[in-house]
Amino acid sequence: MRGEGAVRSVLAGVGGYLPPAVVTNDDLAARLDTSDAWIVERTGIRERRIAAEGVLASDLGAEAARAALADAGLGPEAVDGIVLATSTPDQTYPATAVRIQAKLGIRRGFAFDVAAVCTGFIYALAVADAMIRTGHGSTVLVVGAEVNSRILDWTDRATCVLFGDGAGAVVLRAGEAGPGGSGPGLLSTHLHADGSYADLLYVDGGPGVSGTSGHVRMNGREVFRHAVAKLSAVVDEALAANGLDHAAVDWLVPHQANLRIIEAVAKKLRLPMERVVVTVDRHANTSGASIPLALAEAKADGRLKPGQLVLMEAIGGGLTWGAALLRL
Ligand code: UT7
């Protein structure tokens, strides 16, 4: 736990952006051997958004960042740095974060990408928090932006039905912990990786292995098994690190990959589904963008209130997994 007077990263604003085109399960069933019933039963997904040709992760990310800055009541001149979670960058380099920076008209501070696939936003949050607490800046944009549609094999029904495009962003600002560690801010972040599982979920291309961008490949059943076990363990780790009980959690804001995984973790936490933010039915899996998109939705509809405790968790390719506890 971070004590009284310590610098803390406080959530100042949240925003999301989804490309307008909706693709339903029936749309996919019209061109693939799948069905709405199979997809809904196995995943809870009903539809996803797909970016138009030529629209890049930086376009989606810049929109989400603008919305988060507006929510925080800040202009781009306040931003000291950008940390972007993405696995679908505009180009191999420069970092897509600098494209977002340029689109926002910012010409100072730091900007870089974090590649931790579906755990990317938790990793980016941890990195931004560390940058703030070590004095690299006091206002940092943390963005998750993905155009998963560009790396899907649209003939592989086992993967292409699962993902969508979108972006979310938060503004973190330096604040100070109150007496006994009270007050708003990120309480802790918990990051894990085990590369021995790298081949369970990967993209079969890239400048090193093929010179092409490649396609998503996944052993879904194995990833599912790891997801429930590792997410259950990491949420316990986050609560224990702060001396908190499951009952203290107001909102679980999980990575949105599969409703069955989300329900299993909620059950482990003894949290009713009314206290879980779910967007997977409408967004599908937007990888690094799913948690900030869910936060943006819950903030916009008034569910998130000052003083509440938010538990975030994610798992993805790597395998990477992690959790973060945030007091609003
Ligand atoms: O962001 C983190 C990364 N990803 C995840 O968290 C995903 C984790 N895994 C999952 O969510 C689930 O494993 C899936 C939803 C991907 C798959 O569900 P499952 O219950 O594990 O199904 P399965 O892969 O064991 O496949 C069952 C059957 C197979 O047919 P047979 O071999 O039993 O005849 C598949 O070929 O379902 C078939 N199948 C499909 N059928 C209709 C696979 N995809 C489809 C499909 N439509 N889209």
Side-chain angles (χ1 to χ4, degrees):
M1 209 189 307
R2 291 162 197 164
E4 183 174 352
V7 177
R8 226 187 218 179
S9 305
V10 176
L11 186 76
V14 190
Y17 180 78
L18 290 162
V22 174
V23 174
T24 65
N25 292 346
D26 283 335
D27 292 334
L28 295 178
R31 51 180 205 247
L32 271 173
D33 181 16
T34 189
S35 66
D36 178 56
W38 190 97
I39 300 169
V40 172
E41 190 198 315
R42 302 289 176 125
T43 71
I45 296 166
R46 293 178 185 277
E47 60 186 42
R48 71 284 294 139
R49 301 296 186 94
I50 300 295
E53 212 184 315
V55 172
L56 305 173
S58 63
D59 295 315
L60 305 183
E63 289 295 336
R66 279 188 196 103
L69 285 169
D71 186 46
L74 296 171
E77 68 286 348
V79 175
D80 298 319
I82 302 175
V83 185
L84 170 69
T86 189
S87 301
T88 49
D90 296 2
Q91 294 157 287
T92 302
Y93 63 76
T96 300
V98 304
R99 299 289 187 192
I100 292 177
Q101 186 200 35
K103 283 173 183 169
L104 295 175
I106 301 169
R107 300 187 66 185
R108 64 176 196 90
F110 56 85
F112 60 92
D113 296 357
V114 166
V117 202
C118 294
T119 320
F121 184 73
I122 301 280
Y123 269 65
L125 212 52
V127 170
D129 178 43
M131 302 288 280
I132 287 173
R133 288 187 295 104
T134 51
H136 288 83
S138 59
T139 301
V140 178
L141 264 172
V142 187
V143 187
E146 305 281 9
V147 281
N148 285 315
S149 57
R150 305 282 155 69
I151 54 164
L152 292 171
D153 174 352
W154 287 100
T155 65
D156 176 17
R157 67 177 184 174
T159 52
C160 76
V161 304
L162 304 174
F163 296 90
D165 299 339
V170 301
V171 180
L172 291 183
R173 296 204 94 182
E176 231 177 60
S182 63
L186 257 182
L187 304 186
S188 64
T189 51
H190 303 267
L191 307 182
H192 296 274
D194 185 346
S196 67
Y197 298 120
D199 291 334
L200 292 183
L201 173 51
Y202 65 100
V203 170
D204 63 3
V209 299
S210 73
T212 65
S213 56
H215 295 117
V216 175
R217 304 294 173 204
M218 177 168 70
N219 180 335
R221 203 171 280 188
E222 273 299 292
V223 174
F224 191 101
R225 195 173 64 77
H226 283 289
V228 175
K230 291 182 165 47
L231 292 174
S232 297
V234 81
V235 295
D236 280 349
E237 179 189 326
L239 289 168
N242 293 278
L244 292 167
D245 183 67
H246 297 171
V249 176
D250 291 296
W251 294 106
L252 175 66
V253 184
H255 168 52
Q256 312 277 325
N258 183 317
L259 187 59
R260 290 189 295 150
I261 296 173
I262 295 172
E263 286 172 342
V265 176
K267 194 170 165 199
K268 174 85 190 351
L269 286 166
R270 297 190 291 279
L271 265 191
M273 286 306 285
E274 296 74 56
R275 277 160 58 195
V276 183
V277 180
V278 174
T279 57
V280 69
D281 51 331
R282 288 156 293 122
H283 301 176
N285 182 346
T286 57
S287 305
S290 86
I291 291 177
L293 268 169
L295 282 173
E297 187 171 289
K299 173 95 193 275
D301 66 21
R303 273 180 285 176
L304 301 188
K305 296 195 172 60
Q308 290 181 332
L309 186 69
V310 174
L311 175 57
M312 297 169 261
E313 43 84 338
I315 185 164
L319 292 177
T320 55
W321 64 103
L325 260 178
L326 171 74
R327 179 75 66 191
L328 295 175

